[in-house]
Amino acid sequence: MWIQPKELLLPMAFWVNEITSKYFVLQRRLGHDQSRGFSSLLVGTIDSVANRKPPPFRILHTPSAEIYYEIANAITHEEIVKDWEWLKSNLFRVLNEMETEEEITNFTICKIQSLYEYTTNSKGNEETIDSSNLKIAAAKFRQEFHMPEDENLVNYYSCSYVKNKIPRQGCLYISMNYVCFYSFMLGTETKLAIRFSEIVEIKKSSTWIYIRTTNNNNYSFGLFPLYVSEAHRLINQLNKMALDEMMQNPESPKVEHELSGFQNQTRLTSKKPGLLRDLKARLKSEDYKIFFRLPANEILDGKIKADLWTPYAKRFSSGNIFLSPNFLCFRSDVKGLVNLVIPLRIIRSAEKKDDGPSRFENQIIVSTSESTFLFSKISERDFLLEKISSLLANIHVPVRSEREKYDMSWSIQAALMNTFKIELTDQMIEKQNIKLKKWEDHFREYGRGITMFRTTAIINLVIEGIPDALRQELWMLLSGAIHEKETNPGLYEDLVEKSASKHTSTHDEIERDLHRSLPEHPAFQHADGIGALRRVLQAYALRNQAVGYCQAMNIVSSAFLIFCDEEDAFWLLASLCENLLPDYYNDKIVGAQIDQGVLNELISEHLPNLHAHLEELGVIKMISLSWFLSIFLSVIPYESALYIIDCFFYDGAKVIFIIALKILEWNEDKLLACRDDGEAMQVFNEYLNGIYNNEYQLLKKTEIVKQSQSVQTLLHEAYSRFGENISTQKIEELRNKHRRLTVHQFDADNENSIVKNFKDNIYFEPEELRLLLVAIREEKKNIKKNQKTLGESPIQLSPHPENDGRMREKIEAYKVDFDTFRVLFCELTPWSRCHSVDLSEKLFRLTDKKCTGSLDLNQFVRVLGIVCSDKEVEKLKLLYILHLPPLLSRTELENPVKPEKEKEGPEVAVEAEDFFSDDPSESIEALPSPTDHNFIEGSRLSTDQRNDAANDTSNYSLNSQNARTSTFYVDLPELSAKDRFESIDTFSDISDLGAKPVNFETISNLSQISDLNVMKLENQPSSTSSFDTKSLSSLRFIFDQSESQQQIPDMKRANFHALWKSLTEIVGASDAEMEKAYTDLITIGETYANSDKEESLDSFTQLGIPGSSDEADNNGNTTLSPTTEPSSSIASSCFAAIETHRTSDASVSQDKWQIHINQFIPTVIAVKSISDCFGKHVSLKESIEKMQKNRRKCVPMKY
Amino acid sequence: MASRKKSLLKVIILGDSSVGKTSLMNQYVNKRFSNQYKATIGADFLTKEVVVDDRVVTMQIWDTAGQERFQSLGVAFYRGADCCVLVFDVTAPNTFKNLDSWRDEFLIQASPRDPEHFPFVVLGNKVDLENRAVSQKRAQQWCQLKNDIPYFETSAKEGINVEYAFQTIAKNALAQEAEVELYNEFPDQIRLNADRNNRPRNADNCQC
């Protein structure tokens, strides 16, 4: 990368020259290659501790011995070499022809400068905005933590992390999904990666951030005080986003975490890295929406200081103007003094006002159709006006689309209170009129409608109870539902008609509850009321399918319908479910459960004595659910609960909390006297039923209820006692905290109940099983992350789960797909040591009976259980089956899987920044790259001189290798090495090209094919012998039959060789006893071949791939030839044995050689090393814990 | 507390939405039927003094929400239950099918000491209606399979069998401790259960 040329004073410290020419030097920073000299370590440490990340390669221009200009730098060697080559071909000759040093320097600098400007311009703003430091840090972050390319780094902080009481200085990286720590101190590397979704608790002090994760691990990071709150806020925000994603029902459309919407925001003025700025903007935008109750898709554009003229007070109030695509809002600096919301669509004009007494104060006038608003002291007035006019130009004013024809069977029901009048006493009517008058006075003074000046004066009126006539207007206004309604005209009718046209199970649920909503009101004993309620609920179920219909929605909706027309009731419900009580009504009622946690914490804070007692009785969870979900409508008499709803629309969920606390406080003594939950419930029931409202009466009560308290007193007391302390902001903070706890509790609860359900399994202890479930859950997320890199979403082939049990649904979430299976198998079982045959693939195919591409938990537990158990016979039998055709087919025998490269354990103490000099292919290796296979395969085979038809065979095997790998990956051929190693930046592209996962579609196709073959086989009348067992499904059947070993088919020699190799690899090394067992078995097989020729019918493989036995023989030889791979040296001794054996018994036809499982198992089990290995129980707990540790340290997965 | 006789019984009523749980409870406690109940959100609660075997005990009846999404929230109420009443609507076959799931969920969440012999009672409600869809025989068969759960056909509206059913509930709840020992002497009961597990669908589970 060309840079702005700059002169250097100390060109040699920490750098070594790699290439030099007459006028240029290419240098590499110390500590960035494989060497581990002291100076390398030192520089590594200095760079790491000083949190400095210079690019490790650079080119200097040296016109003379003392003068150096840095002209280019790069992160990879390839990149710098490219620049070097350019210099070489374009400048070297030209410079040689020049005469003076000055001329040379000027020319070079000039040239480089233009190159630099050219590249930066062509790359656009995108690149320059991300400060180059962040970019380098991001590259390092991805490298150290093996993160995929699209794992974007948000920011990084110098940080210390205390581990085992030793503080380590390093760097805290915060990316979109992880918070990571990396330090490198004199040869000791510390790595830590925590996924946001596993964080349970986040706390901060002035210099520390504490994090607790789901496994109950605690981490604390010390930061510069300046950055603590920024980092803390970031972690909180990203954690919330991660949890939101977790809570999403996989079937419902995903909430886009797309940040692009924020990017136009004051882009050029900010110097912060892009992503960080976007996240901050997002956070501000959230606050903005919550504060002004704006629609969910509104994105804050910016804010500007200004004063607002408040005519009622005849003075200016200072505050901020907020601008977003559809709204102009104002918020006073003094909390609650005055707020204003003006939808842009009603703005007629916005212009400068440069006359009048304060003409020099940068005033503007915003006029709507009804009124005008005067703002002053706007420092960037022109900018603001420009912004407003550009937003106005883009505003989309929704129009009610002309509809062809309405379904005439229904019409919008007006507020039900008009039809179903309630007789009020004169006194009550009088009271209503007084209130009405107060409100009219208020409107006169502060304005009416959306653009009214919102001051604290409103709450004083609201708390008295809104008069019936104004409820619709004020509810819509205060809740913000009006904005949604006006931006979506006609949507309600559409939804009603669409939902009426199709019947769903949700409709049944709604139908059942229609008469159980507000039965005491006459409107809901009549078809009009019921019909309206049905339409509202059905329309909403269609609008928000993640929620559908939840009980309690019927109750609140019917209250809305009494005072509002049907369409407004619908929008109120939408605003309730989407903004005011987020996630309350979804399929797990998460929101309400989170708020139960919040309430619990508030109780412990404000009523500590009572809290301990209620906790003991376990009562808080019982009572609060109905309070939250129905906004007290289902527990307090309707006419009183209405007043609570009035306040609720003004103040949001806060009202529910303060009233709940007041109710508890009021009954504290009685509750403290309760001995069990039942008594406490009774206290609540009596009290809540007795809340009365003398100003308003629905019906004459048929039964006398003991009055406890008036709702007016309750509201006033609640506000005066708790209103100040419990702010909406505080509730939001507590919600964040409890969202973490609640969501993780869900997983824990689910897993515990699954464990209980599986308590009869014979393989694992409950604790082991629980850990396994956690591991499955975590690994699935890991894999999802990696698959995202490959640009492919996992293909869901599984049929929709039958709805016959909720337990089944829970278990369904722990289905294991092949990728997950492979990872877990390799991490957790001793059989992962076998690398010449891909046992995980075979085992998966064997177990996945229905070819769904995933194993259910039952199947998974069983296979894993067998492999980890101490049941040697069963394990050997399984291993035997795995090596039978069609699982181990002929093509595979010919081309054994490339063995894993031997790794020297976990990387210890590598150079701090060794990634710069690393061969990028190393990192690519983490991803499966089939081209690798081909490459090695090809070269290996070409060196094979024993084969006469070397060329033919190698071609053939290449093809078959392709065929095999294509089970999982489609090869894109001819990827030149140059392309592959171009740079780290194109990392993901390479993997995209190299390995495009096709996933299970192909697997299941493959197995279907083999099943088809089986069908053919079984249809053949000639199959009189027991050979039908050769098919895959028969193998599955055999596997399920634990008892008889008779049906298990005999094994051919080639398969047996593979089996033996696997066996040796699992055991680890071959000893004399094993070799003896091997020769014995070979002899047994031969005896069998000689004695019984009848039995040697066609094997499945030959049926499947018609071909002469000679060819099979040839290829068999190829496979069995002594391999040149170093890693297979373990097995080489026994292969030497094969060779000697073959030559001596060349006369025996390979076809006839067979061995039976009854011969195999006893022989093998007699060998001590094998029996020791297979008879050993593997502790799943240990291996899972080890795996989790590795994950935390980001030890790369290599399979 | 293994053999201590309780003077307080905690009874949980479970079952799908709108099978009549609230009505049954109110019919039993208040001797009254109303079609003006709201859907139960969270849980409702009533108590009644009953005389069982000449002893006066207080029966706490917990009525729960029936909608599926509330099922996992039941844990809070299940704690320390002495008897579980499973209710279905004889006119709605689905509510009968879901009994399995309600029972399993209860056993998992409540974790009674002896799940095999925890006292359940099944009520087939709304027998006063004409459009019956679940036969008495079918319901009885199911109950038999589950360790002979007592089964009653009730109508909360007409007050049919309600009193009797709840008497049995109280009795079984009280007798729980004694019954555990009794049941253990009947191996047949256990075999019934084992037979069920042997069905091919469950082969994965246990035949290994």
Side-chain angles (χ1 to χ4, degrees), chain A residues 111-136:
Chain A
K111 190 83 196 163
I112 300 299
Q113 209 148 21
S114 70
L115 275 172
Y116 165 72
E117 270 155 25
Y118 175 73
T119 46
T120 44
N121 284 340
S122 67
K123 277 180 186 168
N125 293 342
E126 205 66 31
E127 293 291 317
T128 46
I129 270 295
D130 277 24
S131 66
S132 59
N133 279 340
L134 184 76
K135 204 176 155 200
I136 296 161

Short mmCIF file of all heavy atoms in Angstrom, two decimals, chain A residues 111-136:
data_model
loop_
_atom_site.label_atom_id
_atom_site.label_comp_id
_atom_site.label_asym_id
_atom_site.label_seq_id
_atom_site.Cartn_x
_atom_site.Cartn_y
_atom_site.Cartn_z
N LYS A 111 5.97 10.85 -7.67
CA LYS A 111 5.32 9.68 -8.25
C LYS A 111 4.50 8.93 -7.18
O LYS A 111 3.33 8.59 -7.39
CB LYS A 111 6.40 8.75 -8.84
CG LYS A 111 5.86 7.62 -9.66
CD LYS A 111 5.56 8.09 -11.08
CE LYS A 111 4.67 7.09 -11.80
NZ LYS A 111 4.05 7.66 -12.99
N ILE A 112 5.17 8.69 -6.04
CA ILE A 112 4.51 7.93 -4.98
C ILE A 112 3.28 8.69 -4.46
O ILE A 112 2.22 8.12 -4.24
CB ILE A 112 5.48 7.67 -3.81
CG1 ILE A 112 6.70 6.88 -4.27
CG2 ILE A 112 4.78 6.93 -2.67
CD1 ILE A 112 6.39 5.52 -4.84
N GLN A 113 3.47 10.00 -4.33
CA GLN A 113 2.35 10.80 -3.85
C GLN A 113 1.14 10.66 -4.76
O GLN A 113 0.00 10.49 -4.29
CB GLN A 113 2.79 12.27 -3.82
CG GLN A 113 2.08 13.06 -2.75
CD GLN A 113 2.98 14.16 -2.19
OE1 GLN A 113 3.96 14.56 -2.86
NE2 GLN A 113 2.68 14.62 -1.01
N SER A 114 1.39 10.71 -6.04
CA SER A 114 0.25 10.61 -6.95
C SER A 114 -0.37 9.22 -6.89
O SER A 114 -1.59 9.06 -6.95
CB SER A 114 0.67 10.96 -8.38
OG SER A 114 1.50 9.95 -8.89
N LEU A 115 0.51 8.23 -6.75
CA LEU A 115 -0.02 6.86 -6.60
C LEU A 115 -0.89 6.76 -5.37
O LEU A 115 -1.98 6.20 -5.38
CB LEU A 115 1.13 5.86 -6.47
CG LEU A 115 1.76 5.35 -7.74
CD1 LEU A 115 3.00 4.53 -7.40
CD2 LEU A 115 0.76 4.50 -8.51
N TYR A 116 -0.38 7.35 -4.28
CA TYR A 116 -1.08 7.29 -3.02
C TYR A 116 -2.45 7.94 -3.15
O TYR A 116 -3.48 7.38 -2.76
CB TYR A 116 -0.27 8.01 -1.94
CG TYR A 116 -1.03 8.33 -0.69
CD1 TYR A 116 -1.40 7.32 0.20
CD2 TYR A 116 -1.38 9.65 -0.38
CE1 TYR A 116 -2.10 7.62 1.35
CE2 TYR A 116 -2.08 9.94 0.76
CZ TYR A 116 -2.45 8.93 1.63
OH TYR A 116 -3.14 9.22 2.76
N GLU A 117 -2.45 9.13 -3.75
CA GLU A 117 -3.73 9.83 -3.88
C GLU A 117 -4.66 9.07 -4.80
O GLU A 117 -5.86 8.99 -4.56
CB GLU A 117 -3.50 11.25 -4.39
CG GLU A 117 -3.32 12.20 -3.22
CD GLU A 117 -2.52 13.42 -3.59
OE1 GLU A 117 -2.51 13.79 -4.80
OE2 GLU A 117 -1.90 14.01 -2.68
N TYR A 118 -4.07 8.50 -5.83
CA TYR A 118 -4.92 7.76 -6.77
C TYR A 118 -5.61 6.59 -6.06
O TYR A 118 -6.82 6.42 -6.15
CB TYR A 118 -4.07 7.24 -7.92
CG TYR A 118 -4.84 6.36 -8.87
CD1 TYR A 118 -5.77 6.93 -9.75
CD2 TYR A 118 -4.67 4.97 -8.87
CE1 TYR A 118 -6.50 6.13 -10.60
CE2 TYR A 118 -5.40 4.17 -9.72
CZ TYR A 118 -6.31 4.75 -10.59
OH TYR A 118 -7.03 3.97 -11.43
N THR A 119 -4.82 5.82 -5.33
CA THR A 119 -5.43 4.63 -4.69
C THR A 119 -6.44 5.03 -3.62
O THR A 119 -7.51 4.44 -3.53
CB THR A 119 -4.36 3.74 -4.03
OG1 THR A 119 -3.48 4.58 -3.30
CG2 THR A 119 -3.60 2.93 -5.04
N THR A 120 -6.11 6.04 -2.82
CA THR A 120 -7.07 6.39 -1.78
C THR A 120 -8.36 6.91 -2.39
O THR A 120 -9.44 6.61 -1.89
CB THR A 120 -6.51 7.44 -0.81
OG1 THR A 120 -5.85 8.43 -1.57
CG2 THR A 120 -5.58 6.82 0.19
N ASN A 121 -8.26 7.67 -3.45
CA ASN A 121 -9.49 8.19 -4.05
C ASN A 121 -10.32 7.09 -4.68
O ASN A 121 -11.53 7.07 -4.56
CB ASN A 121 -9.16 9.24 -5.12
CG ASN A 121 -8.78 10.54 -4.47
OD1 ASN A 121 -9.12 10.75 -3.31
ND2 ASN A 121 -8.08 11.38 -5.19
N SER A 122 -9.62 6.19 -5.34
CA SER A 122 -10.39 5.16 -6.03
C SER A 122 -11.08 4.23 -5.04
O SER A 122 -12.12 3.68 -5.31
CB SER A 122 -9.48 4.35 -6.96
OG SER A 122 -8.57 3.62 -6.17
N LYS A 123 -10.47 4.10 -3.88
CA LYS A 123 -11.13 3.24 -2.90
C LYS A 123 -12.32 3.91 -2.25
O LYS A 123 -13.12 3.28 -1.58
CB LYS A 123 -10.14 2.83 -1.81
CG LYS A 123 -9.28 1.65 -2.21
CD LYS A 123 -8.33 1.31 -1.09
CE LYS A 123 -7.36 0.23 -1.52
NZ LYS A 123 -6.28 0.10 -0.56
N GLY A 124 -12.40 5.21 -2.40
CA GLY A 124 -13.56 5.92 -1.87
C GLY A 124 -13.42 6.17 -0.38
O GLY A 124 -12.40 5.89 0.23
N ASN A 125 -14.46 6.71 0.17
CA ASN A 125 -14.44 7.10 1.58
C ASN A 125 -14.29 5.92 2.50
O ASN A 125 -13.72 6.01 3.56
CB ASN A 125 -15.73 7.83 1.94
CG ASN A 125 -15.82 9.15 1.21
OD1 ASN A 125 -14.81 9.64 0.74
ND2 ASN A 125 -17.01 9.69 1.13
N GLU A 126 -14.87 4.85 2.08
CA GLU A 126 -14.94 3.64 2.90
C GLU A 126 -13.62 3.35 3.63
O GLU A 126 -13.59 3.13 4.81
CB GLU A 126 -15.27 2.45 1.98
CG GLU A 126 -15.94 1.33 2.67
CD GLU A 126 -17.31 1.70 3.17
OE1 GLU A 126 -17.99 2.55 2.54
OE2 GLU A 126 -17.72 1.15 4.19
N GLU A 127 -12.54 3.43 2.85
CA GLU A 127 -11.26 3.02 3.40
C GLU A 127 -10.66 4.09 4.30
O GLU A 127 -10.11 3.80 5.34
CB GLU A 127 -10.29 2.69 2.27
CG GLU A 127 -10.70 1.46 1.48
CD GLU A 127 -10.57 0.20 2.29
OE1 GLU A 127 -9.56 0.05 2.98
OE2 GLU A 127 -11.48 -0.64 2.22
N THR A 128 -10.74 5.33 3.85
CA THR A 128 -10.05 6.37 4.59
C THR A 128 -10.69 6.59 5.95
O THR A 128 -10.02 6.96 6.90
CB THR A 128 -10.06 7.69 3.80
OG1 THR A 128 -11.36 7.89 3.32
CG2 THR A 128 -9.06 7.65 2.69
N ILE A 129 -11.98 6.38 6.01
CA ILE A 129 -12.68 6.65 7.26
C ILE A 129 -12.20 5.70 8.34
O ILE A 129 -11.85 6.10 9.43
CB ILE A 129 -14.21 6.55 7.02
CG1 ILE A 129 -14.74 7.91 6.63
CG2 ILE A 129 -14.92 6.04 8.23
CD1 ILE A 129 -14.64 8.97 7.67
N ASP A 130 -12.17 4.45 8.02
CA ASP A 130 -11.64 3.51 9.00
C ASP A 130 -10.17 3.85 9.16
O ASP A 130 -9.38 3.65 8.26
CB ASP A 130 -11.77 2.08 8.47
CG ASP A 130 -13.14 1.53 8.71
OD1 ASP A 130 -14.07 2.32 8.85
OD2 ASP A 130 -13.27 0.32 8.78
N SER A 131 -9.86 4.35 10.30
CA SER A 131 -8.48 4.76 10.47
C SER A 131 -7.60 3.54 10.24
O SER A 131 -7.99 2.41 10.56
CB SER A 131 -8.28 5.32 11.86
OG SER A 131 -8.47 4.29 12.79
N SER A 132 -6.43 3.78 9.69
CA SER A 132 -5.63 2.63 9.30
C SER A 132 -5.24 1.81 10.52
O SER A 132 -5.05 0.61 10.44
CB SER A 132 -4.39 3.09 8.54
OG SER A 132 -3.65 3.95 9.37
N ASN A 133 -5.16 2.47 11.69
CA ASN A 133 -4.84 1.72 12.89
C ASN A 133 -5.87 0.63 13.16
O ASN A 133 -5.54 -0.50 13.48
CB ASN A 133 -4.80 2.65 14.10
CG ASN A 133 -3.49 3.38 14.17
OD1 ASN A 133 -2.52 2.92 13.58
ND2 ASN A 133 -3.48 4.49 14.87
N LEU A 134 -7.13 1.01 13.02
CA LEU A 134 -8.18 0.04 13.30
C LEU A 134 -8.10 -1.10 12.30
O LEU A 134 -8.31 -2.26 12.63
CB LEU A 134 -9.55 0.70 13.24
CG LEU A 134 -10.68 -0.24 13.62
CD1 LEU A 134 -10.71 -0.43 15.13
CD2 LEU A 134 -12.01 0.23 13.12
N LYS A 135 -7.76 -0.75 11.08
CA LYS A 135 -7.70 -1.78 10.06
C LYS A 135 -6.60 -2.80 10.38
O LYS A 135 -6.81 -4.01 10.27
CB LYS A 135 -7.41 -1.11 8.71
CG LYS A 135 -7.89 -1.94 7.55
CD LYS A 135 -7.66 -1.19 6.27
CE LYS A 135 -7.54 -2.16 5.12
NZ LYS A 135 -6.88 -1.57 3.99
N ILE A 136 -5.49 -2.27 10.81
CA ILE A 136 -4.40 -3.18 11.16
C ILE A 136 -4.78 -4.01 12.37
O ILE A 136 -4.57 -5.22 12.42
CB ILE A 136 -3.10 -2.38 11.42
CG1 ILE A 136 -2.68 -1.69 10.12
CG2 ILE A 136 -2.00 -3.28 11.92
CD1 ILE A 136 -1.72 -0.56 10.33
#
